[in-house]
Amino acid sequence: MLRKTLLSLFLLPLLVACSDQRASFEIDGSSQHALTLIRIQNFFWEKSASYSIVAARMPECMRRHDMGKGGATTPVEVYAPGNGAWILKQGRRMLVVETRTCEGFARLEEAPAEGMGPLQGSFEMRNGSLSFVAAAQSDTPTDAGAPAQQ
């Protein structure tokens, strides 16, 4: 009995070391239309984390996409090229996700020729918590993430 208790106490720090954090970018101020970044770091001493992005435009669609591993403290910038597409940039890595059907997701080898669109903000670690920090909006159109009208 004492042995099991000691073993449990020894393993406890390893169990609490896992960090699963989430933050959302609400598109057009609606929690029903959002990008949510999920960051999982197995141990606090690791320099990398696993990332996923959830694209949602409720009630039409919601989908989780695996972004793979990235730097544990590297911000993920969000750009809005328009037509419901969003470019995620983490360091040199770039991905595109869309919220029209929530199905589209791809890695980009380079920035699109037509540009990345306005910076919407970035997901960053602040005081040990993942947060979305909005970019200063000067002349960004408010319908950058709206689905295309037919």
Side-chain angles (χ1 to χ4, degrees):
M1 180 69 160
L2 177 63
R3 189 168 144 174
K4 286 184 180 180
T5 304
L6 288 175
L7 182 60
S8 296
L9 289 174
F10 175 73
L11 293 176
L12 186 60
L14 296 176
L15 296 175
V16 297
C18 183
S19 171
D20 180 341
Q21 298 187 11
R22 297 148 197 261
S24 292
F25 161 49
E26 293 183 352
I27 300 165
D28 297 329
S30 170
S31 62
Q32 300 296 306
H33 189 190
L35 295 177
T36 301
L37 185 73
I38 301 170
R39 177 190 173 276
I40 299 173
Q41 187 177 14
N42 292 326
F43 301 103
F44 68 88
W45 59 81
E46 289 183 330
K47 295 183 187 307
S48 65
S50 297
Y51 291 88
S52 297
I53 191 77
V54 176
R57 191 173 54 81
M58 300 301 288
E60 285 80 14
C61 65
M62 178 189 286
R63 175 104 188 223
R64 181 175 174 164
H65 302 282
D66 180 31
M67 295 172 56
K69 287 215 175 249
T73 59
T74 307
V76 177
E77 297 171 331
V78 179
Y79 294 87
N83 202 23
W86 306 93
I87 296 175
L88 308 173
K89 184 174 186 271
Q90 185 181 35
R92 287 183 254 160
R93 173 170 70 155
M94 288 186 292
L95 305 119
V96 65
V97 63
E98 57 84 18
T99 56
R100 290 181 314 262
T101 66
C102 303
E103 296 290 325
F105 179 78
R107 298 193 187 283
L108 298 174
E109 297 299 321
E110 58 188 39
E114 52 280 348
M116 305 255 300
L119 175 66
Q120 301 300 297
S122 61
F123 293 98
E124 340 180 325
M125 292 301 292
R126 289 210 165 170
N127 300 321
S129 294
L130 183 64
S131 303
F132 182 78
V133 179
Q137 300 294 315
S138 55
D139 56 356
T140 303
T142 57
D143 64 340
Q149 298 296 319
Q150 300 284 335

